[in-house]
Amino acid sequence: MSRLSAATSELPFTLKDLRSAIPSYCFEPSLPRSLAYFLLDIGIITGLFVAAPTIQAWWVWPLYWFAQGTMFWALFVVGHDCGHGSFSKYKWVNNLVGHLSHTPILVPFHGWRISHRTHHANTGNLDTDESWYPVSEMKYDEMTWPEKLVRFYLPLIAYPVYLFRRSPSRPGGSHFLPDSPLFKPSEKWDVITSTVWLLGMLALLAVIGSQIGWLALGAYYGVPYVIFVMWLDLVTYLHHTEADIPWYPDEDWFFLKGALSTIDRDYGIFNPIHHDIGTHVAHHIFLSIPHYHLQAATEAIKPILGGYYRKSTAPIWQSFWRSYRTCHFVPDQGSPVYYQRAQQR
């Protein structure tokens, strides 16, 4: 992969050019097909829960934890489509299935949906992006030890902290409270609704834990939840963290240029399991495309994007380790800017 020659403010193609190249069917969600993915994920998760009490050998438990946590992640991706309105043409269906997908894995659907919408509307913008944006060198030097610990040394368990506290350099805000700076006053009842759903799920887990024991609840649900969080943080981190991805200050940013500040990655056998979420460039340009049409859309726009299209086929853990070691902050000035590695400070 080579760095974009993105010093100019314009691209050699437009959003309309890309839209015209994609077959029209790619923008049409199929409710039966979307429901099939949702029901398949729910079915596998239920089957794993039913099988868990029969586990006898200790070495089977790690297999169960990884499989169940991976399926939690797959279910999150279904809710992700719901949040973008690409699950179906019906808002009430998207909201219902979104809550049914996200509440069991302790994600506030509307709270996440709104902050994720902000991320998509501001991708690549140093000043207004919402998810895994870089900090400036000055901010890096000012960060407290706990902030650096979560952001740079424990990035694969950062998501629950983000839900409660948001990210560095942004006004603190909870995804569970309607008065958070993340939300508009008109979104109050959406946020409250999702928080109530989540409280109901926590109450259900408390009842289950009191019946089967807290250790059993941890084995059946708690450890898979941690695996899910690690999947979520790993994939979202790798969507936007790479040494050659450009970032722009607000005055030199526009939507399409920013939308290209992401990268497609190959997760091997996990691609169909987590619904091709690694096919991310086309998703950021046209977020209304259902996940099952993203590959076709990508092939359609690649000839137009040319060198502006990024894809890495490197092993995922190799990519993570490289970015983990080298992507810490961006220069305080310039446009575009790229991640730099922090020296010992």
Side-chain angles (χ1 to χ4, degrees):
M1 297 177 294
S2 61
R3 288 191 173 188
L4 289 180
S5 55
T8 59
S9 61
E10 298 299 327
L11 299 169
F13 46 80
T14 66
L15 200 61
K16 183 178 179 181
D17 294 333
L18 299 173
R19 176 64 176 81
S20 299
I22 298 174
S24 59
Y25 74 84
C26 289
F27 295 91
E28 295 295 322
S30 165
L31 181 55
R33 187 171 182 180
S34 295
L35 283 173
Y37 285 109
F38 168 67
L39 294 174
L40 176 63
D41 290 349
I42 289 292
I44 295 174
I45 289 170
T46 301
L48 288 170
F49 274 135
V50 170
T54 68
I55 295 175
Q56 300 295 325
W58 66 267
W59 56 268
V60 179
W61 279 108
L63 300 178
Y64 165 78
W65 292 332
F66 182 76
Q68 190 70 292
T70 301
M71 290 311 303
F72 282 7
W73 165 235
L75 188 62
F76 175 90
V77 177
V78 171
H80 172 264
D81 267 17
C82 293
H84 284 302
S86 59
F87 185 88
S88 79
K89 297 180 180 179
Y90 308 102
K91 183 177 179 179
W92 72 269
V93 173
N94 295 330
N95 288 343
L96 175 61
V97 178
H99 280 97
L100 292 175
S101 299
H102 278 185
T103 304
I105 49 178
L106 302 181
V107 175
F109 173 68
H110 282 308
W112 165 85
R113 175 185 62 80
I114 294 166
S115 70
H116 192 64
R117 177 191 66 196
T118 302
H119 162 59
H120 270 269
N122 297 274
T123 304
N125 189 315
L126 288 168
D127 302 307
T128 58
D129 200 350
E130 181 63 29
S131 176
W132 287 115
Y133 52 85
V135 297
S136 67
E137 184 173 7
M138 179 182 297
K139 173 61 180 176
Y140 180 87
D141 288 338
E142 293 174 348
M143 290 174 72
T144 64
W145 179 82
E147 286 179 318
K148 287 184 178 179
L149 177 67
V150 174
R151 177 64 174 81
F152 300 107
Y153 302 105
L154 300 173
L156 298 188
I157 58 171
Y159 186 67
V161 177
Y162 168 70
L163 288 179
F164 281 98
R165 297 196 56 183
R166 212 173 172 186
S167 299
S169 303
R170 302 289 184 262
S174 169
H175 284 70
F176 308 101
L177 301 176
D179 60 350
S180 167
L182 285 164
F183 311 125
K184 302 174 184 176
S186 60
E187 295 164 334
K188 170 183 177 179
W189 288 108
D190 280 348
V191 176
I192 291 175
T193 296
S194 293
T195 299
V196 169
W197 275 68
L198 201 71
L199 291 174
M201 181 64 194
L202 290 173
L204 176 61
L205 290 173
V207 170
I208 294 173
S210 67
Q211 295 297 313
I212 68 173
W214 300 107
L215 286 178
L217 180 64
Y220 296 153
Y221 180 87
V223 179
Y225 171 78
V226 174
I227 300 297
F228 150 67
V229 168
M230 294 178 70
W231 264 119
L232 190 157
D233 278 322
L234 173 69
V235 175
T236 54
Y237 175 87
L238 288 178
H239 283 163
H240 303 286
T241 310
E242 186 74 45
D244 80 323
I245 289 179
W247 291 82
Y248 307 93
D250 188 56
E251 63 271 14
D252 191 34
W253 174 93
F254 59 88
F255 172 79
L256 182 54
K257 186 164 69 170
L260 295 172
S261 292
T262 186
I263 184 171
D264 283 2
R265 296 194 187 272
D266 184 1
Y267 290 85
I269 63 172
F270 296 101
N271 287 331
I273 296 174
H274 65 193
H275 310 305
D276 292 312
I277 192 64
T279 310
H280 210 64
V281 175
H283 170 65
H284 261 276
I285 301 172
F286 298 107
L287 55 86
S288 63
I289 298 177
H291 74 264
Y292 40 83
H293 291 321
L294 282 173
Q295 289 186 338
T298 298
E299 292 304 314
I301 63 176
K302 280 168 60 175
I304 299 175
L305 293 177
Y308 290 87
Y309 170 72
R310 288 184 187 79
K311 181 175 182 178
S312 172
T313 57
I316 291 302
W317 288 108
Q318 177 182 319
S319 296
F320 172 74
W321 181 243
R322 182 178 63 246
S323 294
Y324 176 85
R325 293 178 62 248
T326 61
C327 297
H328 298 131
F329 59 76
V330 295
D332 295 321
Q333 297 181 352
S335 181
V337 292
Y338 298 87
Y339 268 113
Q340 295 183 7
R341 181 177 184 173
Q343 304 301 320
Q344 192 68 32
R345 302 184 176 214

